[in-house]
Amino acid sequence: MKQLKAIIFDVDGTLSETERDGHRVAFNRAFSEAGLDWVWDQELYGKLLAVTGGKERIRLFLSDFHQDFSYDGDIEQLITQLHAEKTKHYVSLLETKAIGLRPGVERLITEIRDAGLRLAIATTTTPANVTALITSTLGEQALSWFDCIAAGDVVPAKKPAPDIFDYCLEQLGLNPEQCLVFEDSANGVLASRGAKLPTVVTLNNYTENDDFSGAISVFNHLGEADMPCQLISGVAIEHDYVTVADLYRLHVNG
Ligand code: XBP
Ligand code: MG
Protein backbone atom coordinates (compact mmCIF):
# COMPACT_ATOMS: atom_id res chain seq x y z
CA MET A 1 0.00 0.00 0.00
CA LYS A 2 1.36 3.43 -0.94
CA GLN A 3 1.98 5.64 2.06
CA LEU A 4 1.56 9.41 1.94
CA LYS A 5 4.67 11.17 3.29
CA ALA A 6 4.81 14.65 1.76
CA ILE A 7 2.67 17.37 0.23
CA ILE A 8 4.25 19.39 -2.58
CA PHE A 9 2.75 22.80 -3.31
CA ASP A 10 3.03 24.84 -6.47
CA VAL A 11 3.31 28.57 -5.66
CA ASP A 12 1.81 31.03 -8.15
CA GLY A 13 -1.93 30.59 -8.43
CA THR A 14 -1.92 27.78 -5.83
CA LEU A 15 -0.62 29.25 -2.57
CA SER A 16 -1.59 32.73 -3.62
CA GLU A 17 -3.21 34.68 -6.48
CA THR A 18 0.08 36.25 -7.43
CA GLU A 19 -0.17 36.43 -11.20
CA ARG A 20 -2.62 39.27 -11.96
CA ASP A 21 -1.88 41.60 -9.05
CA GLY A 22 1.70 40.61 -8.35
CA HIS A 23 3.84 39.38 -11.23
CA ARG A 24 1.91 41.29 -13.92
CA VAL A 25 2.19 44.56 -11.99
CA ALA A 26 5.91 43.98 -11.36
CA PHE A 27 6.57 43.29 -15.08
CA ASN A 28 4.80 46.52 -16.02
CA ARG A 29 6.81 48.51 -13.46
CA ALA A 30 10.07 47.09 -14.83
CA PHE A 31 9.06 47.90 -18.42
CA SER A 32 8.07 51.46 -17.55
CA GLU A 33 11.24 52.04 -15.52
CA ALA A 34 13.31 50.88 -18.51
CA GLY A 35 11.56 53.45 -20.71
CA LEU A 36 9.61 50.82 -22.64
CA ASP A 37 5.98 51.49 -23.56
CA TRP A 38 4.98 47.83 -23.06
CA VAL A 39 1.88 47.38 -20.92
CA TRP A 40 0.57 43.92 -20.07
CA ASP A 41 -3.13 44.25 -19.32
CA GLN A 42 -5.04 41.47 -17.58
CA GLU A 43 -6.25 39.91 -20.82
CA LEU A 44 -2.87 39.91 -22.54
CA TYR A 45 -1.26 38.51 -19.38
CA GLY A 46 -3.70 35.60 -19.51
CA LYS A 47 -2.41 34.77 -23.00
CA LEU A 48 1.21 35.12 -21.91
CA LEU A 49 0.61 32.62 -19.10
CA ALA A 50 0.69 29.98 -21.85
CA VAL A 51 4.37 29.75 -20.98
CA THR A 52 5.86 29.47 -17.50
CA GLY A 53 8.83 31.53 -16.41
CA GLY A 54 9.14 35.29 -16.53
CA LYS A 55 12.02 35.48 -19.02
CA GLU A 56 10.24 32.94 -21.22
CA ARG A 57 7.08 35.10 -20.96
CA ILE A 58 8.92 38.21 -22.19
CA ARG A 59 10.27 36.17 -25.12
CA LEU A 60 6.75 35.02 -25.99
CA PHE A 61 5.51 38.62 -25.85
CA LEU A 62 8.19 39.74 -28.30
CA SER A 63 7.75 36.81 -30.70
CA ASP A 64 3.94 36.66 -30.77
CA PHE A 65 2.55 40.03 -29.61
CA HIS A 66 5.17 42.67 -30.38
CA GLN A 67 7.03 41.64 -33.54
CA ASP A 68 7.61 45.32 -34.42
CA PHE A 69 10.02 45.80 -31.55
CA SER A 70 13.56 46.39 -32.71
CA TYR A 71 16.55 46.64 -30.43
CA ASP A 72 20.13 47.49 -31.31
CA GLY A 73 21.75 45.72 -28.35
CA ASP A 74 21.73 42.14 -27.09
CA ILE A 75 18.07 41.19 -26.65
CA GLU A 76 18.83 38.31 -24.27
CA GLN A 77 20.76 40.71 -22.06
CA LEU A 78 17.81 43.11 -22.09
CA ILE A 79 15.43 40.28 -21.10
CA THR A 80 17.71 39.21 -18.25
CA GLN A 81 17.96 42.81 -16.99
CA LEU A 82 14.21 43.42 -17.24
CA HIS A 83 13.52 40.20 -15.38
CA ALA A 84 15.96 41.03 -12.59
CA GLU A 85 14.26 44.41 -12.15
CA LYS A 86 10.85 42.76 -12.26
CA THR A 87 11.91 40.42 -9.43
CA LYS A 88 12.92 43.43 -7.31
CA HIS A 89 9.53 45.08 -7.91
CA TYR A 90 7.70 41.84 -7.13
CA VAL A 91 9.58 41.31 -3.84
CA SER A 92 8.93 44.96 -2.84
CA LEU A 93 5.25 44.52 -3.60
CA LEU A 94 5.04 41.45 -1.39
CA GLU A 95 6.88 43.25 1.39
CA THR A 96 3.91 45.64 1.57
CA LYS A 97 1.78 42.53 2.29
CA ALA A 98 -0.29 43.39 -0.79
CA ILE A 99 -1.01 39.71 -1.53
CA GLY A 100 -2.26 37.10 0.92
CA LEU A 101 -2.64 33.33 0.77
CA ARG A 102 -5.63 31.68 -0.90
CA PRO A 103 -8.52 30.36 1.24
CA GLY A 104 -7.57 27.34 3.32
CA VAL A 105 -3.84 27.40 2.52
CA GLU A 106 -2.57 28.47 5.95
CA ARG A 107 -5.05 26.19 7.72
CA LEU A 108 -4.11 23.15 5.64
CA ILE A 109 -0.37 23.80 5.95
CA THR A 110 -0.78 23.91 9.74
CA GLU A 111 -2.78 20.65 9.67
CA ILE A 112 -0.17 18.99 7.44
CA ARG A 113 2.60 19.90 9.89
CA ASP A 114 0.53 18.76 12.89
CA ALA A 115 -0.06 15.43 11.14
CA GLY A 116 3.69 14.88 10.73
CA LEU A 117 3.59 15.01 6.95
CA ARG A 118 6.46 16.72 5.17
CA LEU A 119 6.09 19.91 3.11
CA ALA A 120 7.80 20.94 -0.12
CA ILE A 121 7.52 23.49 -2.90
CA ALA A 122 8.01 22.99 -6.64
CA THR A 123 7.64 26.15 -8.66
CA THR A 124 8.77 27.86 -11.82
CA THR A 125 9.16 31.22 -10.17
CA THR A 126 12.45 32.74 -8.99
CA PRO A 127 13.62 31.57 -5.51
CA ALA A 128 13.61 35.15 -4.11
CA ASN A 129 9.90 35.37 -4.95
CA VAL A 130 9.11 32.24 -2.94
CA THR A 131 11.07 33.50 0.05
CA ALA A 132 9.25 36.84 -0.13
CA LEU A 133 5.81 35.23 -0.38
CA ILE A 134 6.34 32.76 2.47
CA THR A 135 7.92 35.41 4.70
CA SER A 136 5.25 38.04 4.05
CA THR A 137 2.35 35.65 4.59
CA LEU A 138 3.46 33.00 7.11
CA GLY A 139 6.53 34.65 8.67
CA GLU A 140 10.24 34.03 8.23
CA GLN A 141 10.22 30.93 10.45
CA ALA A 142 7.88 29.26 7.95
CA LEU A 143 10.74 28.88 5.44
CA SER A 144 12.08 26.05 7.63
CA TRP A 145 8.76 24.18 7.44
CA PHE A 146 9.57 23.17 3.85
CA ASP A 147 12.05 20.33 3.45
CA CYS A 148 12.64 21.38 -0.14
CA ILE A 149 11.98 24.64 -1.99
CA ALA A 150 12.59 23.77 -5.64
CA ALA A 151 12.33 26.94 -7.71
CA GLY A 152 13.18 28.70 -10.97
CA ASP A 153 16.31 28.05 -13.00
CA VAL A 154 17.58 25.22 -10.76
CA VAL A 155 16.41 22.99 -13.62
CA PRO A 156 16.87 23.97 -17.27
CA ALA A 157 13.37 23.03 -18.48
CA LYS A 158 10.45 24.68 -16.69
CA LYS A 159 6.88 23.35 -16.36
CA PRO A 160 5.21 21.66 -18.27
CA ALA A 161 8.48 19.65 -18.20
CA PRO A 162 8.54 17.36 -15.12
CA ASP A 163 12.10 18.40 -14.17
CA ILE A 164 11.29 20.62 -11.19
CA PHE A 165 9.18 17.83 -9.63
CA ASP A 166 11.86 15.22 -10.35
CA TYR A 167 14.38 17.52 -8.68
CA CYS A 168 12.07 18.01 -5.68
CA LEU A 169 11.56 14.25 -5.28
CA GLU A 170 15.30 13.71 -5.39
CA GLN A 171 15.83 16.33 -2.68
CA LEU A 172 13.11 14.77 -0.52
CA GLY A 173 14.39 11.26 -1.13
CA LEU A 174 10.86 10.06 -1.86
CA ASN A 175 9.07 8.20 -4.64
CA PRO A 176 6.21 9.88 -6.54
CA GLU A 177 3.59 7.59 -4.96
CA GLN A 178 4.60 8.84 -1.49
CA CYS A 179 3.61 12.42 -2.35
CA LEU A 180 0.59 14.50 -3.26
CA VAL A 181 0.85 17.69 -5.31
CA PHE A 182 -1.33 20.82 -5.35
CA GLU A 183 -1.31 22.70 -8.65
CA ASP A 184 -3.46 25.39 -10.30
CA SER A 185 -2.69 25.16 -14.02
CA ALA A 186 -2.59 22.73 -16.93
CA ASN A 187 1.15 23.32 -17.33
CA GLY A 188 1.58 22.50 -13.65
CA VAL A 189 -0.44 19.28 -13.90
CA LEU A 190 1.43 18.21 -17.03
CA ALA A 191 4.67 18.68 -15.09
CA SER A 192 3.55 16.86 -11.93
CA ARG A 193 1.92 14.02 -13.86
CA GLY A 194 5.03 13.83 -16.04
CA ALA A 195 6.86 13.05 -12.79
CA LYS A 196 4.14 10.46 -11.98
CA LEU A 197 2.90 12.47 -9.00
CA PRO A 198 -0.73 12.23 -7.85
CA THR A 199 -2.15 15.74 -8.22
CA VAL A 200 -5.07 17.81 -6.91
CA VAL A 201 -6.01 21.13 -8.51
CA THR A 202 -7.29 24.36 -6.99
CA LEU A 203 -8.05 26.44 -10.05
CA ASN A 204 -8.31 30.23 -10.43
CA ASN A 205 -9.65 32.79 -12.92
CA TYR A 206 -6.74 32.39 -15.30
CA THR A 207 -6.85 28.58 -15.32
CA GLU A 208 -10.59 27.78 -15.08
CA ASN A 209 -10.72 26.62 -18.71
CA ASP A 210 -7.52 24.56 -18.55
CA ASP A 211 -7.52 20.81 -19.19
CA PHE A 212 -7.06 19.02 -15.87
CA SER A 213 -7.73 15.49 -17.07
CA GLY A 214 -4.69 14.12 -15.20
CA ALA A 215 -5.85 15.39 -11.79
CA ILE A 216 -7.52 13.36 -9.01
CA SER A 217 -9.87 16.25 -8.17
CA VAL A 218 -10.38 19.86 -9.13
CA PHE A 219 -11.66 22.36 -6.53
CA ASN A 220 -12.22 26.12 -6.75
CA HIS A 221 -10.05 26.51 -3.62
CA LEU A 222 -9.20 24.59 -0.45
CA GLY A 223 -12.05 26.12 1.53
CA GLU A 224 -12.52 27.17 5.13
CA ALA A 225 -15.22 26.38 7.70
CA ASP A 226 -16.96 29.66 6.80
CA MET A 227 -16.05 29.51 3.08
CA PRO A 228 -17.00 26.14 1.57
CA CYS A 229 -15.02 24.98 -1.42
CA GLN A 230 -16.64 23.56 -4.52
CA LEU A 231 -15.71 20.33 -6.22
CA ILE A 232 -15.46 21.02 -9.96
CA SER A 233 -14.61 17.46 -10.96
CA GLY A 234 -13.17 14.20 -9.66
CA VAL A 235 -13.14 12.59 -6.22
CA ALA A 236 -15.27 14.34 -3.57
CA ILE A 237 -14.23 15.24 -0.02
CA GLU A 238 -16.04 14.59 3.23
CA HIS A 239 -16.79 18.14 4.40
CA ASP A 240 -16.90 21.69 3.03
CA TYR A 241 -13.17 22.21 3.03
CA VAL A 242 -10.08 20.11 2.33
CA THR A 243 -8.56 18.53 5.46
CA VAL A 244 -5.58 16.24 6.04
CA ALA A 245 -7.99 13.30 6.26
CA ASP A 246 -9.11 14.22 2.73
CA LEU A 247 -5.50 14.32 1.55
CA TYR A 248 -5.08 10.66 2.54
CA ARG A 249 -8.34 9.78 0.80
CA LEU A 250 -7.50 11.72 -2.37
CA HIS A 251 -4.02 10.23 -2.42
CA VAL A 252 -5.40 6.67 -2.46
CA ASN A 253 -7.25 7.64 -5.67
CA GLY A 254 -4.14 9.01 -7.34
C1 XBP B 1 4.44 30.53 -12.23
C2 XBP B 1 5.28 31.05 -13.29
C3 XBP B 1 6.28 32.09 -13.01
C4 XBP B 1 5.66 33.39 -12.51
C5 XBP B 1 6.64 34.52 -12.63
O1 XBP B 1 5.11 29.53 -11.55
O2 XBP B 1 5.18 30.62 -14.41
O3 XBP B 1 6.95 32.35 -14.21
O4 XBP B 1 4.54 33.72 -13.30
O5 XBP B 1 7.80 34.28 -11.92
P1 XBP B 1 4.35 28.37 -10.68
P2 XBP B 1 9.23 34.55 -12.59
O6 XBP B 1 2.89 28.33 -11.03
O7 XBP B 1 5.10 27.13 -11.08
O8 XBP B 1 4.57 28.76 -9.24
O9 XBP B 1 9.15 35.87 -13.29
O10 XBP B 1 10.20 34.57 -11.43
O11 XBP B 1 9.49 33.42 -13.52
MG1 MG C 1 0.92 27.78 -10.66
Side-chain angles (χ1 to χ4, degrees):
M1 172 148 163
K2 50 186 192 174
Q3 209 191 341
L4 182 60
K5 294 260 170 84
I7 310 298
I8 306 174
F9 283 96
D10 166 52
V11 173
D12 295 304
T14 302
L15 292 182
S16 193
E17 298 276 16
T18 41
E19 292 293 8
R20 192 190 65 189
D21 301 327
H23 291 296
R24 186 184 68 88
V25 171
F27 278 114
N28 284 332
R29 285 184 187 167
F31 299 154
S32 154
E33 202 177 57
L36 296 163
D37 62 357
W38 309 349
V39 177
W40 289 1
D41 63 24
Q42 293 182 25
E43 194 189 339
L44 172 60
Y45 196 70
K47 293 177 184 156
L48 296 172
L49 283 173
V51 296
T52 65
K55 295 186 284 291
E56 292 79 354
R57 201 161 292 145
I58 298 172
R59 280 186 209 114
L60 175 68
F61 171 67
L62 292 174
S63 66
D64 288 24
F65 298 91
H66 198 12
Q67 289 100 337
D68 295 347
F69 180 68
S70 67
Y71 184 66
D72 284 342
D74 180 339
I75 192 75
E76 278 305 311
Q77 205 178 329
L78 174 66
I79 291 170
T80 303
Q81 273 165 10
L82 285 170
H83 190 253
E85 289 307 313
K86 176 257 167 183
T87 300
K88 286 188 199 159
H89 284 293
Y90 181 75
V91 168
S92 304
L93 201 83
L94 290 183
E95 280 168 357
T96 68
K97 300 201 185 286
I99 302 180
L101 296 172
R102 295 191 66 193
V105 169
E106 185 167 2
R107 173 189 55 75
L108 188 60
I109 285 179
T110 305
E111 282 185 34
I112 289 167
R113 295 186 70 228
D114 290 347
L117 289 168
R118 296 170 71 190
L119 279 166
I121 277 173
T123 173
T124 291
T125 205
T126 305
N129 298 346
V130 186
T131 306
L133 182 69
I134 302 284
T135 304
S136 69
T137 55
L138 294 168
E140 207 174 329
Q141 78 290 348
L143 290 169
S144 66
W145 300 350
F146 296 87
D147 285 349
C148 166
I149 297 184
D153 294 323
V154 69
V155 289
K158 295 193 168 121
K159 299 175 187 177
D163 304 30
I164 196 73
F165 284 105
D166 288 334
Y167 174 84
C168 188
L169 285 169
E170 204 179 292
Q171 297 293 311
L172 290 172
L174 294 175
N175 297 317
E177 66 270 17
Q178 294 174 301
C179 303
L180 186 68
V181 171
F182 278 96
E183 266 290 352
D184 73 304
S185 69
N187 278 330
V189 174
L190 281 171
S192 61
R193 296 301 295 141
K196 302 192 170 31
L197 282 153
T199 305
V200 175
V201 170
T202 48
L203 51 69
N204 58 55
N205 285 348
Y206 274 133
T207 63
E208 61 192 359
N209 296 317
D210 280 13
D211 177 4
F212 293 122
S213 42
I216 301 164
S217 300
V218 179
F219 299 96
N220 59 340
H221 52 71
L222 293 172
E224 294 282 23
D226 59 353
M227 196 192 295
C229 63
Q230 282 169 13
L231 175 71
I232 312 291
S233 63
V235 179
I237 53 170
E238 195 117 289
H239 303 292
D240 286 342
Y241 54 96
V242 179
T243 65
V244 165
D246 293 313
L247 300 188
Y248 283 101
R249 209 168 307 117
L250 293 168
H251 179 247
V252 167
N253 286 276

